């Protein structure tokens, strides 16, 4: 019995391997719009897809980032300045995309723009600290998607949203984990709604990468939040708790290009290896997950 089961599992993986290596035809005629292309995943993906011949429309937050990207790519790639927190900026970028795609529509949308700070225990933060992240990572993502959806529906294309392991297990306070849980929920509902139109929706769940989403001075930012906390909060948590809350990130890679060029689109792409298995087994929420130090109040 176990031999038959192993053979069945092996056959399933072989079939999946074959399907994922089938590439979409006529890539050179397809337009892809990517947010957050100044650096990190967005920048790397824009350059990678440009090398494969796609018509990349790259949205950058700064003119400096846009110029650097243009200097590293072919004339096919075009850039636009986009602040996903501003409705007028999204409207202008949408019109810009319409003018370039014309009747051909938009094949792919990659919602990559995001920020990771301020991040700290929730009680140390203000409403504005939460909104700063939510407006970029979630509300901006939703508005960009809804604005470009008619162009994607025209091509029966695909939408790829960059999520995070923090969208499955919340391990730190602030708006980041909340926003990524929201990205997963929005992606799931959108996938079901757009299935009748032939539009596919996927999420990318990267591992631990060192990108500009987590700035080099993250510990200094944490110290600033701690210094602004009320005397009551500082007394309750204590210096030992603060020292235990210094976060760190390690380099990683994502599977973004495959989500746009493969004929078969998975609903979710996660890191390879053990981390992949862990993410697939994680429940929607972690109860009593022992990652936080003990507050001074209880020592």
């Amino acid at each position: 019995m176990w031999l038959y089961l192993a053979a069945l599992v092996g056959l399933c993986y072989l079939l999946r391997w074959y399907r994922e290596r089938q590439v979409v035809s006529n890539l050179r005629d397809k337009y892809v719009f990517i947010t957050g292309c100044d650096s990190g995943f967005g920048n790397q993906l824009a350059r990678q897809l440009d090398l494969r011949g796609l018509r990349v429309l790259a949205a950058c937050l700064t003119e400096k980032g846009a110029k650097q990207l243009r200097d590293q790519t072919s004339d096919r790639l075009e850039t636009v300045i986009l602040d996903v927190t501003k409705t007028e900026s999204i409207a202008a970028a949408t019109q810009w995309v319409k003018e370039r795609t014309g009747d051909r529509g938009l094949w792919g949308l990659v919602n990559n723009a995001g920020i990771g700070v301020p991040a700290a225990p929730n009680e140390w933060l203000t409403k504005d600290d939460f909104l700063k992240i939510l407006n970029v990572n979630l509300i901006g993502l939703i508005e960009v998607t809804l604005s470009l959806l008619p162009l994607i529906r025209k091509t029966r294309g695909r939408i790829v949203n960059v999520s995070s392991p923090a969208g499955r297990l919340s391990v730190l306070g602030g708006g980041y984990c909340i926003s990524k849980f929201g990205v997963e929920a929005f992606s799931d509902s959108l996938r079901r709604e757009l299935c009748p139109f032939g539009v596919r929706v996927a999420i990318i769940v990267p591992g631990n990468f060192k990108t500009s989403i987590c700035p080099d001075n993250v510990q200094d930012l944490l110290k600033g939040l701690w210094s602004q906390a009320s005397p009551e909060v500082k007394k309750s948590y204590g210096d030992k708790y603060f020292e235990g809350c210094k976060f760190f990130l390690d380099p990683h890679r994502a599977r973004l290009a495959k989500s746009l060029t493969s004929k078969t689109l998975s609903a979710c792409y996660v890191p390879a290896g053990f981390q992949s298995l862990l993410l697939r087994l994680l429940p929607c929420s972690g109860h009593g997950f022992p990652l936080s130090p003990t507050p001074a109040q209880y020592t």
Side-chain angles (χ1 to χ4, degrees), residues 23-128:
V23 179
V24 173
S25 60
N26 301 319
L27 287 176
R28 291 182 175 273
D29 297 328
K30 299 187 184 301
Y31 284 87
V32 176
F33 184 76
I34 310 169
T35 67
C37 290
D38 296 78
S39 61
F41 295 150
N43 184 277
Q44 182 181 11
L45 178 65
R47 290 185 282 112
Q48 187 175 0
L49 294 182
D50 178 62
L51 286 173
R52 300 192 67 168
L54 280 82
R55 297 181 178 273
V56 178
L57 305 176
C60 299
L61 181 61
T62 65
E63 183 56 47
K64 178 182 177 181
K67 184 179 184 304
Q68 289 177 345
L69 180 58
R70 289 195 301 269
D71 292 342
Q72 297 172 341
T73 54
S74 71
D75 293 338
R76 286 189 308 273
L77 183 142
E78 298 182 74
T79 60
V80 64
I81 302 302
L82 172 64
D83 183 344
V84 299
T85 66
K86 297 180 179 179
T87 297
E88 58 273 19
S89 180
I90 294 175
T94 300
Q95 182 60 36
W96 179 84
V97 172
K98 289 179 179 178
E99 292 172 357
R100 274 143 188 83
T101 59
D103 295 332
R104 285 167 290 189
L106 187 65
W107 164 249
L109 165 63
V110 180
N111 284 305
N112 166 74
I115 59 174
V117 292
N122 292 305
E123 198 175 4
W124 304 5
L125 302 170
T126 65
K127 176 183 176 181
D128 288 340

Side-chain angles (χ1 to χ4, degrees), residues 126 210 279 287 292:
T126 65
K210 174 57 178 167
L279 285 173
H287 300 285
S292 300

Side-chain angles (χ1 to χ4, degrees), residues 15-273:
L15 178 61
R16 180 178 178 181
W17 174 86
Y18 174 77
R19 284 164 57 89
E20 288 188 347
R21 275 152 184 77
Q22 303 304 301
V23 179
V24 173
S25 60
N26 301 319
L27 287 176
R28 291 182 175 273
D29 297 328
K30 299 187 184 301
Y31 284 87
V32 176
F33 184 76
I34 310 169
T35 67
C37 290
D38 296 78
S39 61
F41 295 150
N43 184 277
Q44 182 181 11
L45 178 65
R47 290 185 282 112
Q48 187 175 0
L49 294 182
D50 178 62
L51 286 173
R52 300 192 67 168
L54 280 82
R55 297 181 178 273
V56 178
L57 305 176
C60 299
L61 181 61
T62 65
E63 183 56 47
K64 178 182 177 181
K67 184 179 184 304
Q68 289 177 345
L69 180 58
R70 289 195 301 269
D71 292 342
Q72 297 172 341
T73 54
S74 71
D75 293 338
R76 286 189 308 273
L77 183 142
E78 298 182 74
T79 60
V80 64
I81 302 302
L82 172 64
D83 183 344
V84 299
T85 66
K86 297 180 179 179
T87 297
E88 58 273 19
S89 180
I90 294 175
T94 300
Q95 182 60 36
W96 179 84
V97 172
K98 289 179 179 178
E99 292 172 357
R100 274 143 188 83
T101 59
D103 295 332
R104 285 167 290 189
L106 187 65
W107 164 249
L109 165 63
V110 180
N111 284 305
N112 166 74
I115 59 174
V117 292
N122 292 305
E123 198 175 4
W124 304 5
L125 302 170
T126 65
K127 176 183 176 181
D128 288 340
D129 291 328
F130 285 89
L131 289 176
K132 181 179 180 181
I133 294 180
L134 291 172
N135 284 337
V136 176
N137 295 7
L138 181 58
I139 305 303
L141 178 149
I142 292 173
E143 189 171 3
V144 168
T145 302
L146 297 181
S147 297
L148 293 171
L149 197 51
L151 299 179
I152 299 170
R153 191 162 47 230
K154 182 181 294 185
T155 65
R156 299 168 66 90
R158 50 191 60 181
I159 299 168
V160 179
N161 294 327
V162 178
S163 181
S164 166
R168 299 188 171 195
L169 181 67
S170 185
V171 295
L172 71 161
Y176 184 76
C177 294
I178 298 171
S179 70
K180 293 306 180 180
F181 268 84
V183 168
E184 299 232 356
F186 176 66
S187 301
D188 286 346
S189 63
L190 199 65
R191 183 182 304 113
R192 294 179 178 89
E193 293 167 2
L194 297 180
C195 183
F197 298 96
V199 175
R200 301 177 183 180
V201 181
I203 57 173
I204 300 290
V205 183
N208 295 321
F209 281 74
K210 174 57 178 167
T211 68
S212 58
I213 197 172
C214 185
D216 294 332
N217 66 336
V218 63
Q219 292 192 6
D220 293 333
L221 296 174
L222 186 65
K223 290 178 182 178
L225 294 170
W226 173 247
S227 66
Q228 296 173 17
S230 67
E232 180 184 359
V233 167
K234 288 183 178 180
K235 182 179 179 181
S236 296
Y237 285 84
D239 292 334
K240 186 177 180 180
Y241 190 101
F242 164 68
E243 291 298 326
C245 288
K246 293 180 178 179
F247 310 112
F248 64 92
L249 294 175
D250 295 319
H252 62 223
R253 297 192 54 162
R255 301 169 69 185
L256 280 166
K258 180 183 288 187
S259 65
L260 290 161
T261 59
S262 174
K263 279 189 176 181
T264 303
L265 186 70
S266 296
C268 177
Y269 291 87
V270 297

